[in-house]
Amino acid sequence: MTELDPVAATLDAVHRELAPLDEGELAGYIPPLLLADPSRFGLAVCSPEGRLWSAGDHAEHFSIQSISKVFAFALALADRGLDAVLERVGCEPSGERFNAISLEADTGRPDNPMINAGAIVTCSLVAGDSAAGRFGRILSLMSACAGRDLTVDEGVFAAELETADMNRALGYLMRSAGSLTADVDETLWVYLRQCAVLVTADDLAVMAATLACGGVNPVTGVRTMSSDVARHVLTVMATCGMYDASGEWMLRVGSPAKSGVAGGVITASPATFGLGLYSPLLDAQGNSLRSVRACELLAERFSWHAL
Amino acid sequence: MTELDPVAATLDAVHRELAPLDEGELAGYIPPLLLADPSRFGLAVCSPEGRLWSAGDHAEHFSIQSISKVFAFALALADRGLDAVLERVGCEPSGERFNAISLEADTGRPDNPMINAGAIVTCSLVAGDSAAGRFGRILSLMSACAGRDLTVDEGVFAAELETADMNRALGYLMRSAGSLTADVDETLWVYLRQCAVLVTADDLAVMAATLACGGVNPVTGVRTMSSDVARHVLTVMATCGMYDASGEWMLRVGSPAKSGVAGGVITASPATFGLGLYSPLLDAQGNSLRSVRACELLAERFSWHAL
Amino acid sequence: MTELDPVAATLDAVHRELAPLDEGELAGYIPPLLLADPSRFGLAVCSPEGRLWSAGDHAEHFSIQSISKVFAFALALADRGLDAVLERVGCEPSGERFNAISLEADTGRPDNPMINAGAIVTCSLVAGDSAAGRFGRILSLMSACAGRDLTVDEGVFAAELETADMNRALGYLMRSAGSLTADVDETLWVYLRQCAVLVTADDLAVMAATLACGGVNPVTGVRTMSSDVARHVLTVMATCGMYDASGEWMLRVGSPAKSGVAGGVITASPATFGLGLYSPLLDAQGNSLRSVRACELLAERFSWHAL
Amino acid sequence: MTELDPVAATLDAVHRELAPLDEGELAGYIPPLLLADPSRFGLAVCSPEGRLWSAGDHAEHFSIQSISKVFAFALALADRGLDAVLERVGCEPSGERFNAISLEADTGRPDNPMINAGAIVTCSLVAGDSAAGRFGRILSLMSACAGRDLTVDEGVFAAELETADMNRALGYLMRSAGSLTADVDETLWVYLRQCAVLVTADDLAVMAATLACGGVNPVTGVRTMSSDVARHVLTVMATCGMYDASGEWMLRVGSPAKSGVAGGVITASPATFGLGLYSPLLDAQGNSLRSVRACELLAERFSWHAL
């Protein structure tokens, strides 16, 4: 990477421009997230050829949180097929927050797999003999997409389990509505454990690029999911990925995306790029403030709008 | 067009396959729409080079209805800029029907410009000295996109005015919430008149292709709007165009779309194609039944998913 | 009235205690209400024998506003019967504010006759050849209950008409839902004109006592409505009269009540008393602050809880 | 009781008139309730002097279900005082069904103690060292009001525990909102166990009469709660007791009431009477069909409307 490389230069420029931004707040819903260093800010881009550019704290580890929903959804689609999955979880934006109690009146389906309720049902649709088996398959898929063996932050996982009242409520609501047929405690164990997997901005960039390349990891060359599954995943990220700000994100940035409450963001444009970002200070919508701003700047400079 | 032309052959095949489908119902909300011939079914595709293929009743005239919202929104964006428009109307899916009373709690903004409430505000944002002036500019833009002078069906317009209680209610609600500052009766006059403009499936194909070509009508070569406006319009069609079925449409078809209650549909993929369809029998969501099915078949056969 | 009269003494004590209270705000939704003197505070009690006790600004005139809903409802019940009225307007608390858009999903009925939407439908159910005729009958009933000829404040009425966007929206919504079949403008004319009728705290006390005496004005001895109608009116006041604070009112005070935005309150206990109050400073719920506090004190001192 | 006793004659007549009514359905939400004999129908009235009249299956045992909410609420009021209880559970009608997810936006309080969410919080407010201790005190109060030692149907209790997904969801939602601070499983144990207490129509009549007599059991002469608590309980029954049909009940019957899903109903008018009914066939609102109809007939014949 020399000064002449325009991608590297742009990443560096965006990093320099946004690093001083110290607005926003650390996520407070579980104690370990409050220990994050608010000055951290990392970015990485991965091309369809598998080339990786990075800037800032791109190798810093943090928990993947809601970005894991994307990969559990991919596995459920691969295991059950689109129609079977849509019978149990919708694909429409809810117009509401991540923890909305948005179950369809007639079917009890949660609105989409990117809100917590939908992600919990999604976990229950992943094939496996046991909770450990289902989680193991989700971890394997995430690892294949990242191109390395990912691990769980046990401290974060323990904290998630302790503060899961709202997710437990969603689980019992869906049991009661008939949309969740699995055991609530077991399903939450899978869901919360996948949220506690550790990644870096570099990992997220490669994972995003894998989606952008129709399911083939462009660094390792390994196919992780079918191209249909990758397309369906990106589509749901486009319409539902940023919760009740998805429409504005598509106008301002234009590539399907998903954020996590620990400060991670992925966004990907088919056959064009995968982007991973990390910065733990969150805006009022619960999205990583520097990361969102960085995506807007990069979208402007690279004109990568998907439409 | 010979047998060897694959586009013509596919359109003919889809028309042949779906013409016998006689499920669904005519729109009953204004009397003139009940007079439509339920057997009518027309399709047209326009390429970025301006070549047009058609099948079935592609030259049949019908009222454009809600598809007009797309062009009023384009004009409001051109007149005021994205930020000023977004101050008055949101860009998030409402998760609800076309006539939803979805105003944001704090701002009174309607959720997006594709639902009736948002389209009414959008009309009020089009520049012009009078209702007639604003309508004239919307008609001019639609005509430029179609490549011919479009006209109003006065019978349909009169019927719309007579049955406008719900839209009038939305207008007064938004006046009361401060999100509509213009006169309700004048604004409804513009909105309902734009809905009564007559088009054909051929017209809609060219109009869609104009959006797909960044605002340049590929048949006439005339620029009708900036490429930024065209992109913003397509983005909002992608996230909000098919009301509470937009997410599933993007999964199943994959290109931004808008339907009208008289049976018209447009859908467009950037730099790829514009498609116009007409068939007056509607499904339970109020979308043209044969047209939706035709888009699904064509998406499958041409693999034109935008993501 | 001598010092020995315990009712007079209690009213005076309550007036003395609460007159210094200058919290709350004048109603701002129409300009004339902002001209009220915030120090005004009047109380009056009328016994079933027609004896009247008063304190403070009991003879001050102000517009009756939403308290008029009680009498329009009484007249609709007398004209159509309970069952016919309940087909068009519900009798359940809405759990919401006075201007809630609370129409039943299946019938389009407004929740109850004490919210604006229900009061508008109620006006349309009052018999009469014309808007003027219907209003005249409502004014006559209110006058009979007060025992004197009441008149309209034309300035308040003109201001109401000018700022009626929300009520007009409710009217068109109900037209659209089929629950209002009359003309919106004519019905609003009746509704807003009844709101602009001038009364005093003395008037309200006699009007409340008329309800408490099964429809017979205890001062004039004139029967104004049947005892069934009076009971039905008091019942709806008990469950819906104080909007989303009706349950707490029944716990703290215990007698059916209705408030108006100009600062009036009536409350009545069957065969026990009628109470009229006036003070224009409103609390956060839009109820007269001193009047509510006075009712709580009087309920405590007289133990007049209805249950 | 001779033929000359008008109360006995009226109860017999109402029983004779309604016994043939075989519409409605048995409650299906727990299996034991489906085993009830649909022909059962019992009524009992208890006067303020403690005299009891009965008709039909007045000695048949059934589970008290939601009628228990009334007595848990009484105990919470006695233990904590009205203000402390209202800080944790509201007193406003929710305008919704018994299992509504109606938590106040700002406080997380359930709307009122008669819906399940509010009854669960109420249980947690009853004083006691343990779940067993709290339940024991609720059972003692119910026994004192009935004038005999009541017992639990262990089969019904076991079935309740097995099908408690919705109530468990409500519990975790309220934990998450901060309005329930106790353990969910322990609180549900108390709540579901109180629902499984066995009573007869005779018991319910005496319990209702105890409320009507300001907390003194008119048969045993024992004071079970203060007169303030009894009045507060009756008031909340009046505004919220029959869920989303409370307003119509007060119009048609006029005395505060509470129903249970096993087919029981109590209704009481201060200083006038207590009424207990049982018939397991339910109407569409989940209220005992014959019991509701019987209350309407009795209200008409005895003119016992509270207002």
Side-chain angles (χ1 to χ4, degrees), chain C residues 305-307, chain D residues 48 208-215 227 230-231 234-235 238 250 254-256 267-274 304-307:
Chain C
H305 198 283
L307 290 178
Chain D
T210 301
L211 296 172
C213 295
S227 61
R231 195 179 73 241
L234 285 174
T235 302
M250 289 307 286
S255 49
T267 185
S269 195
T272 310
F273 72 88
W304 71 38
H305 198 284
L307 291 176

Side-chain angles (χ1 to χ4, degrees), chain B:
Chain B
M1 247 188 286
T2 74
E3 286 177 18
L4 297 178
D5 181 328
V7 176
T10 303
L11 283 191
D12 280 342
V14 167
H15 182 267
R16 233 181 354 255
E17 184 174 339
L18 298 178
L21 207 67
D22 60 354
E23 299 157 37
E25 294 196 24
L26 294 174
Y29 88 103
I30 56 168
L33 296 185
L34 285 170
L35 303 176
D37 176 349
S39 71
R40 294 294 186 179
F41 179 34
L43 309 86
V45 176
C46 182
S47 75
E49 297 78 30
R51 185 164 166 201
L52 191 72
W53 294 262
S54 307
D57 302 311
H58 60 92
E60 176 82 7
H61 286 75
F62 55 93
S63 52
I64 190 167
Q65 300 293 342
S66 287
I67 304 173
S68 65
K69 294 168 179 174
V70 164
F71 301 93
F73 180 52
L75 204 49
L77 288 174
D79 287 351
R80 312 273 172 183
L82 179 62
D83 291 337
V85 169
L86 289 186
E87 269 175 37
R88 300 287 295 285
V89 53
C91 59
E92 299 303 328
S94 65
E96 297 177 49
R97 299 296 310 264
F98 66 95
N99 59 357
I101 310 168
S102 286
L103 306 186
E104 285 184 1
D106 45 349
T107 64
R109 286 193 317 174
D111 284 338
N112 67 66
M114 300 294 115
I115 57 172
N116 289 10
I120 292 167
V121 168
T122 300
C123 280
S124 79
L125 297 176
V126 168
D129 284 347
S130 62
R134 284 200 295 275
F135 171 71
R137 294 187 63 239
I138 296 171
L139 183 65
S140 292
L141 176 62
M142 294 202 285
S143 296
C145 290
R148 71 173 184 92
D149 286 343
L150 302 176
T151 58
V152 170
D153 183 323
E154 297 291 348
V156 166
F157 175 59
E160 304 262 14
L161 271 180
E162 263 173 40
T163 54
D165 282 336
M166 185 66 192
N167 286 321
R168 195 160 273 123
L170 292 172
Y172 283 108
L173 270 180
M174 293 190 293
R175 284 274 304 180
S176 165
S179 49
L180 179 67
T181 53
D183 181 81
V184 171
D185 281 330
E186 274 189 33
T187 307
L188 280 186
W189 187 91
V190 175
Y191 171 62
L192 297 175
R193 197 157 174 80
Q194 83 181 24
C195 288
V197 166
L198 288 168
V199 290
T200 65
D202 283 346
D203 291 331
L204 291 182
V206 179
M207 294 166 92
T210 300
L211 296 172
C213 293
V216 175
N217 181 320
V219 177
T220 64
V222 171
R223 173 165 292 286
T224 64
M225 64 188 80
S226 74
S227 61
D228 277 0
V229 165
R231 196 180 71 242
H232 291 148
V233 166
L234 284 174
T235 301
V236 172
M237 288 166 68
T239 50
C240 314
M242 299 300 270
Y243 308 123
D244 53 351
S246 297
E248 184 151 7
W249 174 274
M250 289 307 285
L251 273 179
R252 304 272 190 202
V253 179
S255 48
K258 186 83 207 73
S259 67
V261 79
V265 170
I266 63 169
T267 184
S269 194
T272 310
F273 71 87
L275 181 55
L277 304 101
Y278 170 60
S279 174
L281 289 173
L282 306 183
D283 62 22
Q285 279 77 45
N287 294 318
S288 170
L289 199 115
R290 287 191 193 98
S291 301
V292 167
R293 193 76 198 95
C295 288
E296 289 172 355
L297 290 178
L298 290 167
E300 214 173 285
R301 292 179 197 177
F302 291 125
S303 301
W304 72 34
H305 199 282
L307 289 177

Side-chain angles (χ1 to χ4, degrees), chain C residues 133-236:
Chain C
R134 285 201 295 275
F135 170 70
R137 294 187 63 239
I138 296 171
L139 183 64
S140 293
L141 175 63
M142 294 200 287
S143 296
C145 291
R148 70 173 185 93
D149 286 340
L150 303 176
T151 57
V152 170
D153 183 323
E154 298 291 346
V156 166
F157 175 59
E160 304 261 15
L161 271 180
E162 263 173 41
T163 54
D165 282 337
M166 185 64 193
N167 286 321
R168 195 159 272 125
L170 291 172
Y172 283 109
L173 269 180
M174 293 190 293
R175 283 275 303 180
S176 166
S179 48
L180 179 66
T181 54
D183 181 80
V184 170
D185 281 329
E186 274 189 33
T187 308
L188 281 185
W189 187 90
V190 176
Y191 171 62
L192 297 175
R193 199 158 173 81
Q194 84 182 23
C195 288
V197 167
L198 287 169
V199 290
T200 65
D202 284 345
D203 291 330
L204 290 182
V206 180
M207 294 166 92
T210 301
L211 295 173
C213 295
V216 176
N217 183 318
V219 177
T220 64
V222 172
R223 172 165 292 284
T224 64
M225 63 189 81
S226 73
S227 61
D228 276 0
V229 165
R231 195 180 73 241
H232 291 148
V233 165
L234 284 174
T235 301
V236 172

Side-chain angles (χ1 to χ4, degrees), chain C residues 83 92 235 246-248 252 305, chain D residues 83 92 235 247-248 252 305:
Chain C
D83 291 337
E92 300 301 329
T235 301
S246 298
E248 186 152 4
R252 303 274 190 202
H305 198 283
Chain D
D83 291 337
E92 298 301 328
T235 302
E248 184 151 7
R252 304 273 189 201
H305 198 284

